[in-house]
Amino acid sequence: MADFGGEVEAFRADARAWLEANFPPALKTEAGRRSGDAKVWRERMADKGWGAPTWPKAYGGGGLSRGEARVLAEEMARIGASNPIGGLGIMSIGPTILELGTEEQKKRHLPGIARGEKEWCQGYSEPGAGSDLASLQTKCEDKGDHWLVNGQKIWTSVANLADWCFCLVRTDPAAKKHEGISCLLIDMKDPGVETRPIRLINGDSPFCETFFTDVRARKDDIVGPLNGGWTIAKRLLQFERDAIAAGLGGGTLTGPASAMSVEDYAKRYIGLDGQGRLADADYRSRLVQHRMEHQAFQLTLRRAADEAKSNQGPSNAAAIMKYAGAKVAQDRAELIVEALGAEGLGWDGDGFEDHELAQVRGWLRTKANSIEGGSSEINLNVVSKRVLGLPDPK
Ligand SMILES: Cc1cc2nc3c(=O)[nH]c(=O)nc-3n(C[C@H](O)[C@H](O)[C@H](O)COP(=O)(O)OP(=O)(O)OC[C@H]3O[C@@H](n4cnc5c(N)ncnc54)[C@H](O)[C@@H]3O)c2cc1C
C-alpha cells in the first residue's frame, strides 16, 4: 500500500470510516450481490460522488485527486468492496466529454453516468470498419433542426441495454477518409434504433449488431468540432485503453474471480516432485516467466498511477499497457487451463467442479482481450508510430 503522505493520508482515515459505515458486508457473497443491498451501495456511492471519484463535484463526481482516488480504491479492496458504478460511461465517453465536451453536454450527460443511472455503448466498429476504423460509413445528414442517421454498427457491447450511444458517423462524405467524421451522441430509445445480440464462443451475448434507420439526434449532441470526430475518437480510445489495462491489472477483465491463484492450480493439478517443486519442469519455467511479467505489469501500472501528478489523463502510452495487460491475462488463463488437464476440457454438466468450468469459460473470454479496444497488432502500431516515433514501413 503506497503512503502518499499529508492530506492524502488524512483522506485515507475519512474514506476508511465512511466505507466501514456504508458498505453492506452482504455484498461480499454472491447471493448478497444479487440482493437489494447492491442498489443501496450504488446509491450511497453515487450520493458521495465516488462512482466517478476524480470528476468535479459539479458533474456528480467526487472531486478527488488521483492520489485520493487511488487511496479510495485501496481502502475498498481492503474490505472486499468494489466500485458499483462503471461501464463505458465512466471509462470512455465520460472522461472525453469532461475534457472536450461543451458545458451544456457536461451538465446534461455526466451526472447520469456518475450516478450509474445511464448505460452507454460505443458505436465505432462497422462490418467494413474495424481496425481500419476511419473507413466507417454510417451516414449522418444535417436536417436543419436535427441530425438524421442511417447505417450499421457491429460488436456494440451492451447496446441492447444502453440508454445512449457515442457513435462515429460520417458527416461529410466528400471529405478525405479521416476528415468527414463526427462523434455523435445518440439516444438508444429512438424508434429507429434496433439491436440484435450476437452470441460469443463462451455462450454469452455481451454485444450486438446495431442498426440505425432514420434515427434523429439533437444538433447539440456532436462532441467536439463537426467533421473533427477523428481526434475525439482517438482521445476516447486512449481513455478506453487505459481503463482496460487497469481492469486487466486488477483482474476484472480476466475471466472468473477465483480464490485460487495460477500456482494453486498448478500445485493441485500437476503436483509436486520429491523436492517440493512443480513436477513439470517446462511448465514451471513458463509459470516463472509469467509471474515475472505479471509482477512487472502490476508495478508499471502502479508507477504510472503514482507518477501522474495531475489529472491530465492517459497518453498514447496507454497502448503499451493495453497490449501488455492482454498478454498477461491470456498467458495466465492458458497456464490454468493447461494445468487443469482433462478437467480443463469441460463446458457444462456433471463431472467438473464449478470453478473448473468457470476457468474454461474465462479462458475463452480472454481471447477477446487482444481484440476489444483495438487489437494487439493495432496497439503495437500505435506504440511504434506515436510512442517510439518510428516511420511507416516502406
Ligand atoms: C469483447 C469485444 C467487445 C467489443 N466491443 C465493441 C464496442 O462496444 N463497440 C465497438 O465499436 N466495437 C467493439 N468491439 C470491436 C473491436 O473494436 C474490433 O473487433 C477491433 O477493433 C478489431 O476489428 P475487426 O474485428 O474488424 O478486425 P479486423 O480489423 O478485420 O482485423 C483482423 C486482424 O487483422 C489485424 N490487422 C488489421 N489491420 C492491421 C494492421 N494495419 N496492422 C497489423 N495487423 C492488422 C488485426 O489485428 C486482427 O488480428 C469489440 C470487440 C470485442 C472482441
Side-chain angles (χ1 to χ4, degrees):
M1 192 178 286
D3 184 345
F4 295 86
E7 284 175 18
V8 174
E9 285 308 309
F11 169 78
R12 185 186 296 282
D14 291 346
R16 185 172 291 188
W18 188 87
L19 288 169
E20 278 170 1
N22 288 282
F23 174 63
L27 294 184
K28 290 183 193 169
T29 65
E30 195 50 45
R33 281 192 279 278
R34 288 194 299 268
S35 74
D37 280 352
K39 185 162 176 273
V40 170
W41 174 229
R42 200 188 71 214
E43 282 171 1
R44 285 179 184 166
M45 284 287 278
D47 290 345
K48 193 81 179 156
W50 284 358
T54 60
W55 294 9
K57 289 187 175 173
Y59 309 125
L64 303 185
S65 67
R66 278 187 163 228
E68 288 170 331
R70 168 80 186 285
V71 164
L72 175 62
E74 286 177 0
E75 288 302 313
M76 284 199 286
R78 197 182 63 81
I79 59 165
S82 59
N83 191 342
I85 297 172
L88 289 165
I90 292 286
M91 70 192 251
S92 308
I93 187 63
T96 308
I97 292 178
L98 198 54
E99 189 174 289
L100 301 161
T102 62
E103 188 55 30
E104 204 273 333
Q105 287 167 343
K106 291 178 197 176
K107 286 192 179 131
R108 198 151 69 90
H109 293 296
L110 295 181
I113 296 175
R115 292 195 62 81
E117 290 168 356
K118 297 287 173 198
E119 181 90 60
W120 284 72
C121 64
Q122 176 177 34
Y124 271 36
S125 307
E126 295 183 4
S131 301
D132 184 14
L133 185 58
S135 293
L136 62 99
Q137 295 299 330
T138 292
K139 197 163 72 170
C140 177
E141 297 167 90
D142 187 344
K143 292 291 178 187
D145 63 343
H146 66 276
W147 298 106
L148 193 70
V149 183
N150 280 283
Q152 185 195 340
K153 297 289 172 179
I154 194 162
W155 316 124
T156 331
S157 299
V158 300
N160 50 335
L161 306 174
D163 302 287
W164 284 86
C165 178
F166 52 96
C167 197
L168 295 180
V169 293
R170 194 157 288 287
T171 33
D172 183 355
K176 282 192 215 153
K177 191 169 159 183
H178 294 82
E179 292 172 11
I181 294 171
S182 300
C183 176
L184 179 67
L185 309 179
I186 293 180
D187 186 342
M188 293 294 279
K189 308 250 172 355
D190 186 286
V193 177
E194 186 195 346
T195 58
R196 293 184 200 157
I198 302 170
R199 205 163 164 179
L200 268 188
I201 192 172
N202 71 351
D204 295 343
S205 294
F207 46 33
C208 300
E209 292 178 285
T210 305
F211 299 89
F212 299 119
T213 309
D214 288 340
V215 168
R216 293 163 71 103
R218 275 170 57 148
K219 287 306 281 277
D220 59 357
D221 267 339
I222 296 251
V223 180
L226 181 63
N227 298 319
W230 189 244
T231 307
I232 310 292
K234 285 191 295 183
R235 183 64 180 140
L236 185 142
L237 282 173
Q238 289 177 355
F239 286 119
E240 182 179 353
R241 286 168 185 164
D242 191 53
I244 290 178
L248 289 167
T252 54
L253 293 174
T254 52
S258 170
M260 282 171 72
S261 67
V262 58
E263 287 84 356
D264 294 333
Y265 274 101
K267 282 186 212 159
R268 173 164 162 190
Y269 289 86
I270 294 176
L272 303 178
D273 66 14
Q275 294 169 274
R277 302 174 307 183
L278 279 182
D280 180 334
D282 174 55
Y283 185 97
R284 196 166 66 224
S285 76
R286 284 183 288 124
L287 177 57
V288 169
Q289 182 68 31
H290 164 70
R291 288 302 294 169
M292 288 193 297
E293 286 175 11
H294 181 255
Q295 185 68 2
F297 176 65
Q298 294 284 356
L299 290 173
T300 310
L301 271 182
R302 268 189 100 146
R303 187 164 51 88
D306 291 348
E307 280 174 4
K309 296 217 168 27
S310 67
N311 283 350
Q312 258 176 346
S315 66
N316 279 318
I320 302 175
M321 299 312 291
K322 161 69 174 53
Y323 171 82
K327 180 170 185 313
V328 166
Q330 289 177 339
D331 287 350
R332 176 180 176 280
E334 290 285 345
L335 283 166
I336 290 178
V337 169
E338 183 180 338
L340 284 172
E343 275 72 33
L345 298 174
W347 175 255
D348 220 345
D350 299 337
F352 299 100
E353 294 179 34
D354 285 350
H355 71 96
E356 293 168 348
L357 297 172
Q359 289 298 346
V360 173
R361 286 170 182 250
W363 165 71
L364 286 169
R365 174 61 183 83
T366 63
K367 300 290 173 198
N369 293 156
S370 51
I371 303 172
E372 61 200 326
S375 70
S376 284
E377 290 80 7
I378 293 303
N379 278 300
L380 287 177
N381 285 349
V382 172
V383 174
S384 147
K385 279 200 225 171
R386 309 268 170 245
V387 181
L388 300 175
L390 299 177
D392 277 327
K394 291 268 180 303

